[in-house]
Amino acid sequence: MAHRQPILLIDSPSLYFRAYFGIPESAAKTGDGQPVNAVRGFLDMLAQLVRTRRPDRMICALDHDWRPAWRVELLPSYKAHRVAPEGGEVVPDTLSPQVPMILEVLEALGIPAVGATGYEADDVLGTLSVTQPGPVEVVSGDRDLFQLVDDARPVRLLYVGRGVAKLDDCDDATVRTRYGVPADRYADFAALRGDPSDGLPGVAGVGEKTAARLIDRYGGLDGILAALDDPRSGFAPGLRAKLDAARDYLAVAPKVVRVATDVPLPELDPALPASPADPDRLLELAQRWNLAGSCRRLVDALAGGRS
């Protein structure tokens, strides 16, 4: 089924972490003093996205497994620095209780939220980006999702690195301009460059410019590794030695960085609700958690956001 308007695929953890750190706890609390800054900010972000992007569908992706075992098995350093002493992800104490609140409000609104055992939100977004009819707009502050950009479908990344009010609307040309590689080679580029925030060491001595130059010359990691075995391939001796030393890492890193696009997901109705699915429940939650303004703004956006 063809659509004129986009589907918004929301990287929920990316947005609610941003909301949590962007709004002081003191500015958003329930009557009994419980912080709701992440909930309020998340709902306000959705309202602004609906008003400005005018989607006709929306799905919120969830992290059911923020550090999947299959990725850790391939690369033990993956997100290792973010593991709490007692296990699980290091998450602020006052953020964790707000995530179930967000899910309750979304359910009352009628906006689907979905995750999958053994997969991150990125993987859910990747799967939805290839299975949902386009146009697709993925909303995230995660650079790894540049790899989902696909002008042919089309899939764009609305990158929120500077906030939802200053979205970077990214197509393939944007990725090429920013990093020097096409979007479908971004995962190879990220593996070469590394990413400390995810525990990806990269290749020692290979930064963004060298990574982009190698991909431009050899087409991707497979071509680079094949060229390593060819004495006529023209590598500088120092660079050849660095890449050769990183062979074991480069054999697994792309599989870790690449977003899964085959996650088993339930049937979903992504149609944007024109009115709340359960208005009485939404009103009760809004009153209980002091979210009346944010809920009203999102309900108003949903009522007027479709054409």
Side-chain angles (χ1 to χ4, degrees):
M1 176 181 174
H3 290 259
R4 288 189 304 111
Q5 295 164 267
I7 181 171
L8 285 185
L9 303 180
I10 307 296
D11 184 350
S12 301
S14 179
L15 264 60
Y16 62 63
F17 266 93
R18 180 171 295 275
Y20 176 82
F21 289 108
I23 300 174
E25 288 184 8
S26 59
K29 292 187 175 183
T30 63
D32 60 4
Q34 184 177 4
V36 289
N37 52 328
V39 188
R40 184 176 295 180
F42 182 84
L43 297 176
D44 284 343
M45 288 181 191
L46 292 191
Q48 181 159 352
L49 286 163
V50 172
R51 286 195 307 269
T52 57
R53 305 309 298 188
R54 303 185 69 81
D56 64 0
R57 296 156 291 149
M58 179 187 291
I59 300 174
C60 293
L62 305 173
D63 263 340
H64 278 193
D65 192 340
W66 68 280
R67 189 174 182 248
W70 60 272
R71 283 193 166 105
V72 176
E73 185 176 351
L74 289 168
L75 190 68
S77 66
Y78 183 66
K79 295 185 178 180
H81 60 296
R82 288 156 57 181
V83 178
E86 66 279 8
E89 185 178 15
V90 176
V91 178
D93 291 342
T94 50
L95 171 57
S96 296
Q98 297 188 57
V99 177
M101 295 180 179
I102 289 171
L103 297 182
E104 284 199 58
V105 174
L106 290 175
E107 183 178 20
L109 285 163
I111 295 173
V114 64
T117 301
Y119 294 96
E120 302 174 54
D122 288 6
D123 302 309
V124 176
L125 293 164
T127 299
L128 292 170
S129 76
V130 300
T131 56
Q132 291 294 316
V136 174
E137 295 185 344
V138 179
V139 184
S140 178
D142 187 343
R143 293 186 300 174
D144 285 341
L145 295 179
F146 280 115
Q147 65 185 279
L148 298 184
V149 170
D150 181 351
D151 288 358
R153 292 209 68 237
V155 180
R156 305 174 80 91
L157 177 65
L158 304 183
Y159 186 66
V160 298
R162 299 180 299 160
V164 170
K166 298 179 179 178
L167 287 174
D168 290 324
D169 184 350
C170 303
D171 59 6
D172 191 73
T174 308
V175 181
R176 289 174 185 266
T177 299
R178 184 173 295 196
Y179 296 111
V181 298
D184 64 0
R185 288 289 176 264
Y186 184 85
D188 286 358
F189 167 83
L192 285 164
R193 177 202 60 197
D195 188 346
S197 69
D198 279 343
L200 292 171
V203 177
V206 173
E208 289 196 353
K209 290 184 179 179
T210 301
R213 188 171 69 250
L214 286 168
I215 288 172
D216 180 63
R217 180 168 184 177
Y218 298 105
L221 264 180
D222 289 344
I224 293 168
L225 292 172
L228 275 179
D229 297 320
D230 182 354
R232 301 165 299 172
S233 57
F235 284 108
L239 180 57
R240 182 188 290 275
K242 291 172 183 175
L243 291 166
D244 196 52
R247 278 182 186 268
D248 289 346
Y249 163 75
L250 291 175
V252 299
K255 301 171 189 174
V256 174
V257 177
R258 286 190 190 115
V259 171
T261 57
D262 58 353
V263 176
L265 296 174
E267 288 291 324
L268 297 167
D269 179 6
L272 203 67
S275 59
D278 190 340
D280 292 338
R281 176 66 170 159
L282 182 64
L283 179 61
E284 188 268 324
L285 295 175
Q287 291 175 339
R288 187 203 312 173
W289 292 330
N290 194 21
L291 297 169
S294 294
C295 287
R296 183 175 59 252
R297 284 187 287 274
L298 183 48
V299 168
D300 289 347
L302 292 169
R306 305 196 298 178
S307 60

